[in-house]
PDB file of all heavy atoms in Angstrom:
ATOM      1  N   ARG A   1     -22.527 -14.403   6.470  1.00  0.00           N
ATOM      2  CA  ARG A   1     -23.124 -15.690   6.132  1.00  0.00           C
ATOM      3  C   ARG A   1     -23.706 -15.592   4.713  1.00  0.00           C
ATOM      4  O   ARG A   1     -23.031 -15.099   3.806  1.00  0.00           O
ATOM      5  CB  ARG A   1     -24.148 -16.109   7.181  1.00  0.00           C
ATOM      6  CG  ARG A   1     -23.514 -16.423   8.550  1.00  0.00           C
ATOM      7  CD  ARG A   1     -24.541 -16.875   9.573  1.00  0.00           C
ATOM      8  NE  ARG A   1     -23.906 -17.202  10.854  1.00  0.00           N
ATOM      9  CZ  ARG A   1     -24.576 -17.430  11.975  1.00  0.00           C
ATOM     10  NH1 ARG A   1     -25.905 -17.371  11.992  1.00  0.00           N
ATOM     11  NH2 ARG A   1     -23.928 -17.724  13.083  1.00  0.00           N
ATOM     12  N   ALA A   2     -24.928 -16.035   4.508  1.00  0.00           N
ATOM     13  CA  ALA A   2     -25.509 -16.004   3.158  1.00  0.00           C
ATOM     14  C   ALA A   2     -26.052 -14.632   2.784  1.00  0.00           C
ATOM     15  O   ALA A   2     -26.632 -14.466   1.717  1.00  0.00           O
ATOM     16  CB  ALA A   2     -26.622 -17.047   3.051  1.00  0.00           C
ATOM     17  N   SER A   3     -25.842 -13.639   3.652  1.00  0.00           N
ATOM     18  CA  SER A   3     -26.354 -12.291   3.384  1.00  0.00           C
ATOM     19  C   SER A   3     -25.359 -11.405   2.654  1.00  0.00           C
ATOM     20  O   SER A   3     -25.686 -10.262   2.343  1.00  0.00           O
ATOM     21  CB  SER A   3     -26.766 -11.615   4.698  1.00  0.00           C
ATOM     22  OG  SER A   3     -27.913 -12.226   5.238  1.00  0.00           O
ATOM     23  N   GLY A   4     -24.152 -11.898   2.389  1.00  0.00           N
ATOM     24  CA  GLY A   4     -23.237 -11.093   1.609  1.00  0.00           C
ATOM     25  C   GLY A   4     -21.842 -11.023   2.180  1.00  0.00           C
ATOM     26  O   GLY A   4     -21.482 -11.736   3.119  1.00  0.00           O
ATOM     27  N   THR A   5     -21.051 -10.127   1.598  1.00  0.00           N
ATOM     28  CA  THR A   5     -19.636 -10.002   1.960  1.00  0.00           C
ATOM     29  C   THR A   5     -19.402  -9.009   3.083  1.00  0.00           C
ATOM     30  O   THR A   5     -18.265  -8.825   3.520  1.00  0.00           O
ATOM     31  CB  THR A   5     -18.822  -9.568   0.734  1.00  0.00           C
ATOM     32  OG1 THR A   5     -19.340  -8.328   0.221  1.00  0.00           O
ATOM     33  CG2 THR A   5     -18.884 -10.627  -0.366  1.00  0.00           C
ATOM     34  N   ASN A   6     -20.453  -8.344   3.549  1.00  0.00           N
ATOM     35  CA  ASN A   6     -20.391  -7.420   4.682  1.00  0.00           C
ATOM     36  C   ASN A   6     -19.366  -6.312   4.477  1.00  0.00           C
ATOM     37  O   ASN A   6     -18.594  -5.983   5.382  1.00  0.00           O
ATOM     38  CB  ASN A   6     -20.096  -8.182   5.984  1.00  0.00           C
ATOM     39  CG  ASN A   6     -20.541  -7.393   7.221  1.00  0.00           C
ATOM     40  OD1 ASN A   6     -21.351  -6.466   7.125  1.00  0.00           O
ATOM     41  ND2 ASN A   6     -19.999  -7.747   8.372  1.00  0.00           N
ATOM     42  N   ASP A   7     -19.383  -5.721   3.293  1.00  0.00           N
ATOM     43  CA  ASP A   7     -18.457  -4.630   3.001  1.00  0.00           C
ATOM     44  C   ASP A   7     -19.036  -3.251   3.311  1.00  0.00           C
ATOM     45  O   ASP A   7     -18.457  -2.235   2.920  1.00  0.00           O
ATOM     46  CB  ASP A   7     -17.998  -4.716   1.546  1.00  0.00           C
ATOM     47  CG  ASP A   7     -17.008  -5.836   1.322  1.00  0.00           C
ATOM     48  OD1 ASP A   7     -15.888  -5.752   1.861  1.00  0.00           O
ATOM     49  OD2 ASP A   7     -17.355  -6.816   0.642  1.00  0.00           O
ATOM     50  N   LYS A   8     -20.141  -3.226   3.999  1.00  0.00           N
ATOM     51  CA  LYS A   8     -20.691  -2.034   4.634  1.00  0.00           C
ATOM     52  C   LYS A   8     -20.876  -0.828   3.716  1.00  0.00           C
ATOM     53  O   LYS A   8     -20.093   0.127   3.713  1.00  0.00           O
ATOM     54  CB  LYS A   8     -19.819  -1.638   5.836  1.00  0.00           C
ATOM     55  CG  LYS A   8     -19.829  -2.657   6.971  1.00  0.00           C
ATOM     56  CD  LYS A   8     -21.215  -2.884   7.539  1.00  0.00           C
ATOM     57  CE  LYS A   8     -21.211  -3.842   8.723  1.00  0.00           C
ATOM     58  NZ  LYS A   8     -22.556  -4.266   9.099  1.00  0.00           N
ATOM     59  N   ALA A   9     -21.948  -0.883   2.930  1.00  0.00           N
ATOM     60  CA  ALA A   9     -22.354   0.296   2.166  1.00  0.00           C
ATOM     61  C   ALA A   9     -22.575   1.458   3.120  1.00  0.00           C
ATOM     62  O   ALA A   9     -23.071   1.289   4.231  1.00  0.00           O
ATOM     63  CB  ALA A   9     -23.639   0.002   1.406  1.00  0.00           C
ATOM     64  N   GLY A  10     -22.198   2.644   2.680  1.00  0.00           N
ATOM     65  CA  GLY A  10     -22.322   3.814   3.549  1.00  0.00           C
ATOM     66  C   GLY A  10     -21.157   3.947   4.499  1.00  0.00           C
ATOM     67  O   GLY A  10     -21.299   4.495   5.596  1.00  0.00           O
ATOM     68  N   SER A  11     -19.986   3.450   4.089  1.00  0.00           N
ATOM     69  CA  SER A  11     -18.786   3.565   4.918  1.00  0.00           C
ATOM     70  C   SER A  11     -17.557   3.563   4.037  1.00  0.00           C
ATOM     71  O   SER A  11     -17.608   3.205   2.853  1.00  0.00           O
ATOM     72  CB  SER A  11     -18.701   2.409   5.924  1.00  0.00           C
ATOM     73  OG  SER A  11     -18.287   1.215   5.272  1.00  0.00           O
ATOM     74  N   ALA A  12     -16.411   3.918   4.635  1.00  0.00           N
ATOM     75  CA  ALA A  12     -15.151   3.875   3.900  1.00  0.00           C
ATOM     76  C   ALA A  12     -14.757   2.451   3.557  1.00  0.00           C
ATOM     77  O   ALA A  12     -14.039   2.226   2.573  1.00  0.00           O
ATOM     78  CB  ALA A  12     -14.049   4.544   4.725  1.00  0.00           C
ATOM     79  N   GLN A  13     -15.214   1.467   4.357  1.00  0.00           N
ATOM     80  CA  GLN A  13     -14.857   0.075   4.072  1.00  0.00           C
ATOM     81  C   GLN A  13     -15.266  -0.327   2.662  1.00  0.00           C
ATOM     82  O   GLN A  13     -14.549  -1.060   1.978  1.00  0.00           O
ATOM     83  CB  GLN A  13     -15.513  -0.877   5.077  1.00  0.00           C
ATOM     84  CG  GLN A  13     -14.916  -0.815   6.469  1.00  0.00           C
ATOM     85  CD  GLN A  13     -15.879  -0.193   7.451  1.00  0.00           C
ATOM     86  OE1 GLN A  13     -16.369   0.906   7.203  1.00  0.00           O
ATOM     87  NE2 GLN A  13     -16.147  -0.859   8.541  1.00  0.00           N
ATOM     88  N   ASN A  14     -16.432   0.134   2.238  1.00  0.00           N
ATOM     89  CA  ASN A  14     -16.897  -0.219   0.894  1.00  0.00           C
ATOM     90  C   ASN A  14     -16.024   0.428  -0.173  1.00  0.00           C
ATOM     91  O   ASN A  14     -15.639  -0.226  -1.155  1.00  0.00           O
ATOM     92  CB  ASN A  14     -18.365   0.193   0.724  1.00  0.00           C
ATOM     93  CG  ASN A  14     -18.958  -0.303  -0.568  1.00  0.00           C
ATOM     94  OD1 ASN A  14     -18.761   0.302  -1.617  1.00  0.00           O
ATOM     95  ND2 ASN A  14     -19.671  -1.415  -0.517  1.00  0.00           N
ATOM     96  N   LEU A  15     -15.684   1.691  -0.011  1.00  0.00           N
ATOM     97  CA  LEU A  15     -14.880   2.383  -1.022  1.00  0.00           C
ATOM     98  C   LEU A  15     -13.493   1.767  -1.151  1.00  0.00           C
ATOM     99  O   LEU A  15     -12.896   1.782  -2.244  1.00  0.00           O
ATOM    100  CB  LEU A  15     -14.758   3.870  -0.684  1.00  0.00           C
ATOM    101  CG  LEU A  15     -16.056   4.680  -0.653  1.00  0.00           C
ATOM    102  CD1 LEU A  15     -15.742   6.162  -0.573  1.00  0.00           C
ATOM    103  CD2 LEU A  15     -16.927   4.396  -1.867  1.00  0.00           C
ATOM    104  N   LEU A  16     -12.963   1.234  -0.053  1.00  0.00           N
ATOM    105  CA  LEU A  16     -11.638   0.606  -0.103  1.00  0.00           C
ATOM    106  C   LEU A  16     -11.602  -0.584  -1.053  1.00  0.00           C
ATOM    107  O   LEU A  16     -10.526  -0.954  -1.539  1.00  0.00           O
ATOM    108  CB  LEU A  16     -11.215   0.160   1.299  1.00  0.00           C
ATOM    109  CG  LEU A  16     -10.758   1.265   2.254  1.00  0.00           C
ATOM    110  CD1 LEU A  16     -10.696   0.744   3.682  1.00  0.00           C
ATOM    111  CD2 LEU A  16      -9.407   1.820   1.816  1.00  0.00           C
ATOM    112  N   ARG A  17     -12.746  -1.173  -1.312  1.00  0.00           N
ATOM    113  CA  ARG A  17     -12.802  -2.323  -2.211  1.00  0.00           C
ATOM    114  C   ARG A  17     -12.615  -1.910  -3.667  1.00  0.00           C
ATOM    115  O   ARG A  17     -12.346  -2.760  -4.507  1.00  0.00           O
ATOM    116  CB  ARG A  17     -14.152  -3.032  -2.050  1.00  0.00           C
ATOM    117  CG  ARG A  17     -14.413  -3.557  -0.650  1.00  0.00           C
ATOM    118  CD  ARG A  17     -13.546  -4.739  -0.331  1.00  0.00           C
ATOM    119  NE  ARG A  17     -14.040  -5.931  -1.013  1.00  0.00           N
ATOM    120  CZ  ARG A  17     -13.277  -6.927  -1.437  1.00  0.00           C
ATOM    121  NH1 ARG A  17     -11.983  -6.872  -1.296  1.00  0.00           N
ATOM    122  NH2 ARG A  17     -13.822  -7.999  -2.018  1.00  0.00           N
ATOM    123  N   TRP A  18     -12.763  -0.625  -3.968  1.00  0.00           N
ATOM    124  CA  TRP A  18     -12.721  -0.173  -5.360  1.00  0.00           C
ATOM    125  C   TRP A  18     -11.448   0.592  -5.692  1.00  0.00           C
ATOM    126  O   TRP A  18     -11.399   1.336  -6.670  1.00  0.00           O
ATOM    127  CB  TRP A  18     -13.976   0.665  -5.658  1.00  0.00           C
ATOM    128  CG  TRP A  18     -15.209  -0.048  -5.225  1.00  0.00           C
ATOM    129  CD1 TRP A  18     -16.117   0.346  -4.295  1.00  0.00           C
ATOM    130  CD2 TRP A  18     -15.634  -1.350  -5.663  1.00  0.00           C
ATOM    131  NE1 TRP A  18     -17.088  -0.603  -4.121  1.00  0.00           N
ATOM    132  CE2 TRP A  18     -16.818  -1.670  -4.954  1.00  0.00           C
ATOM    133  CE3 TRP A  18     -15.150  -2.279  -6.574  1.00  0.00           C
ATOM    134  CZ2 TRP A  18     -17.506  -2.862  -5.130  1.00  0.00           C
ATOM    135  CZ3 TRP A  18     -15.829  -3.472  -6.753  1.00  0.00           C
ATOM    136  CH2 TRP A  18     -16.999  -3.751  -6.039  1.00  0.00           C
ATOM    137  N   ILE A  19     -10.421   0.395  -4.880  1.00  0.00           N
ATOM    138  CA  ILE A  19      -9.124   0.999  -5.154  1.00  0.00           C
ATOM    139  C   ILE A  19      -8.030  -0.044  -5.008  1.00  0.00           C
ATOM    140  O   ILE A  19      -8.186  -1.050  -4.311  1.00  0.00           O
ATOM    141  CB  ILE A  19      -8.837   2.190  -4.213  1.00  0.00           C
ATOM    142  CG1 ILE A  19      -9.040   1.794  -2.749  1.00  0.00           C
ATOM    143  CG2 ILE A  19      -9.677   3.390  -4.591  1.00  0.00           C
ATOM    144  CD1 ILE A  19      -8.734   2.891  -1.777  1.00  0.00           C
ATOM    145  N   SER A  20      -6.915   0.225  -5.676  1.00  0.00           N
ATOM    146  CA  SER A  20      -5.750  -0.668  -5.621  1.00  0.00           C
ATOM    147  C   SER A  20      -4.545   0.190  -5.236  1.00  0.00           C
ATOM    148  O   SER A  20      -3.984   0.901  -6.068  1.00  0.00           O
ATOM    149  CB  SER A  20      -5.532  -1.329  -6.984  1.00  0.00           C
ATOM    150  OG  SER A  20      -4.399  -2.178  -6.957  1.00  0.00           O
ATOM    151  N   PRO A  21      -4.136   0.165  -3.971  1.00  0.00           N
ATOM    152  CA  PRO A  21      -3.086   1.081  -3.508  1.00  0.00           C
ATOM    153  C   PRO A  21      -1.727   0.793  -4.160  1.00  0.00           C
ATOM    154  O   PRO A  21      -1.347  -0.360  -4.362  1.00  0.00           O
ATOM    155  CB  PRO A  21      -3.019   0.817  -2.004  1.00  0.00           C
ATOM    156  CG  PRO A  21      -4.301   0.133  -1.656  1.00  0.00           C
ATOM    157  CD  PRO A  21      -4.673  -0.653  -2.871  1.00  0.00           C
ATOM    158  N   ARG A  22      -1.028   1.842  -4.495  1.00  0.00           N
ATOM    159  CA  ARG A  22       0.348   1.730  -4.946  1.00  0.00           C
ATOM    160  C   ARG A  22       1.226   2.516  -3.991  1.00  0.00           C
ATOM    161  O   ARG A  22       1.026   3.707  -3.779  1.00  0.00           O
ATOM    162  CB  ARG A  22       0.523   2.274  -6.365  1.00  0.00           C
ATOM    163  CG  ARG A  22       1.979   2.216  -6.834  1.00  0.00           C
ATOM    164  CD  ARG A  22       2.124   2.490  -8.318  1.00  0.00           C
ATOM    165  NE  ARG A  22       1.953   3.885  -8.653  1.00  0.00           N
ATOM    166  CZ  ARG A  22       2.591   4.485  -9.689  1.00  0.00           C
ATOM    167  NH1 ARG A  22       3.406   3.794 -10.448  1.00  0.00           N
ATOM    168  NH2 ARG A  22       2.354   5.750  -9.956  1.00  0.00           N
ATOM    169  N   MET A  23       2.219   1.831  -3.419  1.00  0.00           N
ATOM    170  CA  MET A  23       3.152   2.486  -2.505  1.00  0.00           C
ATOM    171  C   MET A  23       4.322   3.050  -3.311  1.00  0.00           C
ATOM    172  O   MET A  23       4.900   2.357  -4.151  1.00  0.00           O
ATOM    173  CB  MET A  23       3.649   1.472  -1.477  1.00  0.00           C
ATOM    174  CG  MET A  23       4.417   2.070  -0.314  1.00  0.00           C
ATOM    175  SD  MET A  23       6.136   2.332  -0.723  1.00  0.00           S
ATOM    176  CE  MET A  23       6.493   3.669   0.390  1.00  0.00           C
ATOM    177  N   ILE A  24       4.656   4.307  -3.071  1.00  0.00           N
ATOM    178  CA  ILE A  24       5.764   4.964  -3.761  1.00  0.00           C
ATOM    179  C   ILE A  24       6.765   5.451  -2.719  1.00  0.00           C
ATOM    180  O   ILE A  24       6.394   6.185  -1.793  1.00  0.00           O
ATOM    181  CB  ILE A  24       5.267   6.154  -4.599  1.00  0.00           C
ATOM    182  CG1 ILE A  24       4.258   5.683  -5.657  1.00  0.00           C
ATOM    183  CG2 ILE A  24       6.447   6.878  -5.267  1.00  0.00           C
ATOM    184  CD1 ILE A  24       3.589   6.814  -6.399  1.00  0.00           C
ATOM    185  N   LYS A  25       7.990   5.024  -2.854  1.00  0.00           N
ATOM    186  CA  LYS A  25       9.082   5.497  -1.991  1.00  0.00           C
ATOM    187  C   LYS A  25      10.055   6.308  -2.832  1.00  0.00           C
ATOM    188  O   LYS A  25      10.529   5.847  -3.868  1.00  0.00           O
ATOM    189  CB  LYS A  25       9.827   4.335  -1.338  1.00  0.00           C
ATOM    190  CG  LYS A  25      11.037   4.770  -0.508  1.00  0.00           C
ATOM    191  CD  LYS A  25      11.864   3.580  -0.027  1.00  0.00           C
ATOM    192  CE  LYS A  25      13.106   4.046   0.724  1.00  0.00           C
ATOM    193  NZ  LYS A  25      13.982   2.921   1.144  1.00  0.00           N
ATOM    194  N   GLU A  26      10.322   7.513  -2.382  1.00  0.00           N
ATOM    195  CA  GLU A  26      11.288   8.357  -3.052  1.00  0.00           C
ATOM    196  C   GLU A  26      12.467   8.610  -2.111  1.00  0.00           C
ATOM    197  O   GLU A  26      12.307   9.232  -1.057  1.00  0.00           O
ATOM    198  CB  GLU A  26      10.669   9.682  -3.477  1.00  0.00           C
ATOM    199  CG  GLU A  26      11.637  10.606  -4.186  1.00  0.00           C
ATOM    200  CD  GLU A  26      10.997  11.908  -4.632  1.00  0.00           C
ATOM    201  OE1 GLU A  26       9.762  12.026  -4.537  1.00  0.00           O
ATOM    202  OE2 GLU A  26      11.753  12.803  -5.067  1.00  0.00           O
ATOM    203  N   THR A  27      13.644   8.100  -2.496  1.00  0.00           N
ATOM    204  CA  THR A  27      14.850   8.292  -1.695  1.00  0.00           C
ATOM    205  C   THR A  27      15.544   9.583  -2.128  1.00  0.00           C
ATOM    206  O   THR A  27      15.743   9.830  -3.317  1.00  0.00           O
ATOM    207  CB  THR A  27      15.804   7.091  -1.874  1.00  0.00           C
ATOM    208  OG1 THR A  27      15.144   5.917  -1.412  1.00  0.00           O
ATOM    209  CG2 THR A  27      17.086   7.297  -1.087  1.00  0.00           C
ATOM    210  N   PHE A  28      15.934  10.418  -1.157  1.00  0.00           N
ATOM    211  CA  PHE A  28      16.487  11.730  -1.473  1.00  0.00           C
ATOM    212  C   PHE A  28      17.977  11.693  -1.802  1.00  0.00           C
ATOM    213  O   PHE A  28      18.447  12.384  -2.700  1.00  0.00           O
ATOM    214  CB  PHE A  28      16.216  12.701  -0.323  1.00  0.00           C
ATOM    215  CG  PHE A  28      14.748  12.926  -0.081  1.00  0.00           C
ATOM    216  CD1 PHE A  28      14.208  12.839   1.192  1.00  0.00           C
ATOM    217  CD2 PHE A  28      13.901  13.230  -1.124  1.00  0.00           C
ATOM    218  CE1 PHE A  28      12.862  13.035   1.408  1.00  0.00           C
ATOM    219  CE2 PHE A  28      12.542  13.439  -0.919  1.00  0.00           C
ATOM    220  CZ  PHE A  28      12.023  13.340   0.353  1.00  0.00           C
ATOM    221  N   VAL A  29      18.745  10.907  -1.040  1.00  0.00           N
ATOM    222  CA  VAL A  29      20.178  10.761  -1.318  1.00  0.00           C
ATOM    223  C   VAL A  29      20.426   9.272  -1.549  1.00  0.00           C
ATOM    224  O   VAL A  29      20.423   8.476  -0.611  1.00  0.00           O
ATOM    225  CB  VAL A  29      21.046  11.288  -0.169  1.00  0.00           C
ATOM    226  CG1 VAL A  29      22.531  11.105  -0.499  1.00  0.00           C
ATOM    227  CG2 VAL A  29      20.733  12.757   0.094  1.00  0.00           C
ATOM    228  N   THR A  30      20.625   8.901  -2.777  1.00  0.00           N
ATOM    229  CA  THR A  30      20.706   7.497  -3.156  1.00  0.00           C
ATOM    230  C   THR A  30      22.111   6.963  -2.917  1.00  0.00           C
ATOM    231  O   THR A  30      23.108   7.611  -3.292  1.00  0.00           O
ATOM    232  CB  THR A  30      20.339   7.331  -4.634  1.00  0.00           C
ATOM    233  OG1 THR A  30      19.043   7.895  -4.847  1.00  0.00           O
ATOM    234  CG2 THR A  30      20.315   5.860  -5.037  1.00  0.00           C
ATOM    235  N   PRO A  31      22.262   5.777  -2.269  1.00  0.00           N
ATOM    236  CA  PRO A  31      23.594   5.203  -2.021  1.00  0.00           C
ATOM    237  C   PRO A  31      24.374   4.961  -3.307  1.00  0.00           C
ATOM    238  O   PRO A  31      23.791   4.682  -4.370  1.00  0.00           O
ATOM    239  CB  PRO A  31      23.275   3.891  -1.314  1.00  0.00           C
ATOM    240  CG  PRO A  31      21.920   4.088  -0.724  1.00  0.00           C
ATOM    241  CD  PRO A  31      21.203   4.970  -1.696  1.00  0.00           C
ATOM    242  N   THR A  32      25.669   5.059  -3.208  1.00  0.00           N
ATOM    243  CA  THR A  32      26.564   4.793  -4.344  1.00  0.00           C
ATOM    244  C   THR A  32      27.527   3.650  -4.064  1.00  0.00           C
ATOM    245  O   THR A  32      28.404   3.371  -4.895  1.00  0.00           O
ATOM    246  CB  THR A  32      27.351   6.062  -4.703  1.00  0.00           C
ATOM    247  OG1 THR A  32      28.087   6.500  -3.554  1.00  0.00           O
ATOM    248  CG2 THR A  32      26.410   7.181  -5.164  1.00  0.00           C
ATOM    249  N   ASP A  33      27.383   3.015  -2.883  1.00  0.00           N
ATOM    250  CA  ASP A  33      28.275   1.904  -2.510  1.00  0.00           C
ATOM    251  C   ASP A  33      27.415   0.803  -1.915  1.00  0.00           C
ATOM    252  O   ASP A  33      26.630   1.048  -1.005  1.00  0.00           O
ATOM    253  CB  ASP A  33      29.311   2.395  -1.496  1.00  0.00           C
ATOM    254  CG  ASP A  33      30.384   1.351  -1.193  1.00  0.00           C
ATOM    255  OD1 ASP A  33      30.172   0.144  -1.488  1.00  0.00           O
ATOM    256  OD2 ASP A  33      31.427   1.735  -0.640  1.00  0.00           O
ATOM    257  N   TYR A  34      27.579  -0.415  -2.438  1.00  0.00           N
ATOM    258  CA  TYR A  34      26.750  -1.510  -1.957  1.00  0.00           C
ATOM    259  C   TYR A  34      27.117  -1.972  -0.563  1.00  0.00           C
ATOM    260  O   TYR A  34      26.345  -2.668   0.095  1.00  0.00           O
ATOM    261  CB  TYR A  34      26.836  -2.710  -2.915  1.00  0.00           C
ATOM    262  CG  TYR A  34      28.031  -3.607  -2.702  1.00  0.00           C
ATOM    263  CD1 TYR A  34      27.982  -4.682  -1.821  1.00  0.00           C
ATOM    264  CD2 TYR A  34      29.230  -3.374  -3.378  1.00  0.00           C
ATOM    265  CE1 TYR A  34      29.084  -5.504  -1.621  1.00  0.00           C
ATOM    266  CE2 TYR A  34      30.329  -4.178  -3.186  1.00  0.00           C
ATOM    267  CZ  TYR A  34      30.262  -5.249  -2.305  1.00  0.00           C
ATOM    268  OH  TYR A  34      31.355  -6.056  -2.106  1.00  0.00           O
ATOM    269  N   ARG A  35      28.311  -1.597  -0.050  1.00  0.00           N
ATOM    270  CA  ARG A  35      28.837  -2.151   1.195  1.00  0.00           C
ATOM    271  C   ARG A  35      28.126  -1.577   2.408  1.00  0.00           C
ATOM    272  O   ARG A  35      28.000  -0.363   2.543  1.00  0.00           O
ATOM    273  CB  ARG A  35      30.340  -1.892   1.307  1.00  0.00           C
ATOM    274  CG  ARG A  35      31.155  -2.572   0.210  1.00  0.00           C
ATOM    275  CD  ARG A  35      32.603  -2.109   0.219  1.00  0.00           C
ATOM    276  NE  ARG A  35      33.350  -2.726  -0.865  1.00  0.00           N
ATOM    277  CZ  ARG A  35      33.381  -2.274  -2.114  1.00  0.00           C
ATOM    278  NH1 ARG A  35      32.695  -1.159  -2.422  1.00  0.00           N
ATOM    279  NH2 ARG A  35      34.078  -2.897  -3.041  1.00  0.00           N
ATOM    280  N   TYR A  36      27.682  -2.483   3.310  1.00  0.00           N
ATOM    281  CA  TYR A  36      27.105  -2.086   4.586  1.00  0.00           C
ATOM    282  C   TYR A  36      28.196  -2.056   5.647  1.00  0.00           C
ATOM    283  O   TYR A  36      29.231  -2.740   5.504  1.00  0.00           O
ATOM    284  CB  TYR A  36      26.008  -3.066   5.005  1.00  0.00           C
ATOM    285  CG  TYR A  36      24.795  -3.059   4.083  1.00  0.00           C
ATOM    286  CD1 TYR A  36      24.632  -4.051   3.124  1.00  0.00           C
ATOM    287  CD2 TYR A  36      23.844  -2.062   4.192  1.00  0.00           C
ATOM    288  CE1 TYR A  36      23.535  -4.056   2.283  1.00  0.00           C
ATOM    289  CE2 TYR A  36      22.728  -2.052   3.355  1.00  0.00           C
ATOM    290  CZ  TYR A  36      22.582  -3.041   2.400  1.00  0.00           C
ATOM    291  OH  TYR A  36      21.497  -3.041   1.568  1.00  0.00           O
ATOM    292  N   PRO A  37      27.996  -1.307   6.725  1.00  0.00           N
ATOM    293  CA  PRO A  37      29.040  -1.203   7.756  1.00  0.00           C
ATOM    294  C   PRO A  37      29.455  -2.550   8.347  1.00  0.00           C
ATOM    295  O   PRO A  37      30.615  -2.716   8.740  1.00  0.00           O
ATOM    296  CB  PRO A  37      28.385  -0.309   8.816  1.00  0.00           C
ATOM    297  CG  PRO A  37      27.425   0.528   8.041  1.00  0.00           C
ATOM    298  CD  PRO A  37      26.899  -0.365   6.974  1.00  0.00           C
TER     299      PRO A  37
END
């Protein structure tokens, strides 16, 4: 309510607000043909 955003100081929830996740996918054997079965 008017008491704030409730991001819970003293918890991981608060720290999550100060990061911006980047997802990285690394494919080991990359396809060479666009055709699907």
Side-chain angles (χ1 to χ4, degrees):
R1 293 182 178 170
S3 290
T5 58
N6 202 18
D7 286 294
K8 294 300 183 191
S11 76
Q13 288 110 307
N14 188 279
L15 298 191
L16 285 166
R17 300 289 285 149
W18 310 119
I19 51 178
S20 179
R22 178 169 74 149
M23 191 277 153
I24 300 173
K25 176 188 177 183
E26 180 179 351
T27 298
F28 298 131
V29 180
T30 304
T32 58
D33 187 342
Y34 83 89
R35 297 171 182 84
Y36 295 101

